[in-house]
Each structure stands twice: as structure tokens, then as C-alpha cells.
Amino acid sequence: MQPPDPRHTIPGNLAPHIPADLYRQLDGQPVVIIQTPAPAPTHSLRKWAVPVFVGLAGAAGLLGVVASAIWIVDYAARTAAFIGSATGPIGLGVSLKLFQSKNK
């Protein structure tokens, strides 16, 4: 098998198709086809920055909600401990006397 004639090979991509009627109108004249390259993909900052900032804002909001919930529970526990220590055993006895059932 013979190698192909290098004069008839086209380097790179093949040229686009020329319609038959246009080819007949040329009648053997040389044709130059200019094919522009595809535009380079643009990597804009907004394409990835907006989702990152939205995710960070959501994470910061969730962190604030968790921190406030922990603070409220801590405040309630400290308040209960303070009230319990301030009343002592006398306050406990008075509370039991006041809140006992009256339906005896």
C-alpha cells in the first residue's frame, strides 16, 4: 500500500462543506476558506464567586443561630442555678407547701 500523496492531504481540521451549486460556479478557480477559531471560554469571577459567597453567608447565619441557642440554654441554666441557690432549703419547703394539692 502506498502512502498518501502529501499534496492532497489537508493538515488539521477539514474545511467546511461547499454547496454544489457554488462549486460549479467557481469552475475550477482556487478557493480560500477562512475558518475562525472558536471563542475561548470565559471564566468570569461571578460564575463561581456568587455561590461561594451565598454558601459562606448561609454558614455564618447557621453559626449565629447555633451560638444564640447555646447562649440561651446557658443563660437559662445559670438563672435556674442562681434561683435554686438563693432560695435554699427554706424556699423549697415553702414552695412545696404553697403548691400542694388542696383536694384532700
Side-chain angles (χ1 to χ4, degrees):
M1 181 174 192
Q2 291 182 338
D5 188 9
R7 294 175 293 170
H8 298 290
T9 59
I10 301 173
N13 295 334
L14 295 176
H17 175 70
I18 300 173
D21 57 344
L22 182 61
Y23 184 74
R24 286 189 203 106
Q25 287 177 2
L26 292 173
D27 195 32
Q29 296 175 3
V31 177
V32 176
I33 298 174
I34 299 174
Q35 190 174 7
T36 58
T42 57
H43 297 288
S44 67
L45 183 64
R46 183 176 293 175
K47 186 175 185 178
W48 62 269
V50 170
V52 167
F53 289 142
V54 168
L56 287 174
L62 186 62
L63 183 65
V65 168
V66 169
S68 64
I70 290 173
W71 180 79
I72 288 173
V73 169
D74 181 52
Y75 185 75
R78 288 177 187 261
T79 303
F82 175 73
I83 291 173
S85 66
T87 57
I90 297 172
L92 183 62
V94 171
S95 297
L96 290 175
K97 194 80 158 160
L98 287 174
F99 296 117
Q100 72 182 352
S101 175
K102 308 245 187 308
N103 297 334
K104 285 190 179 179

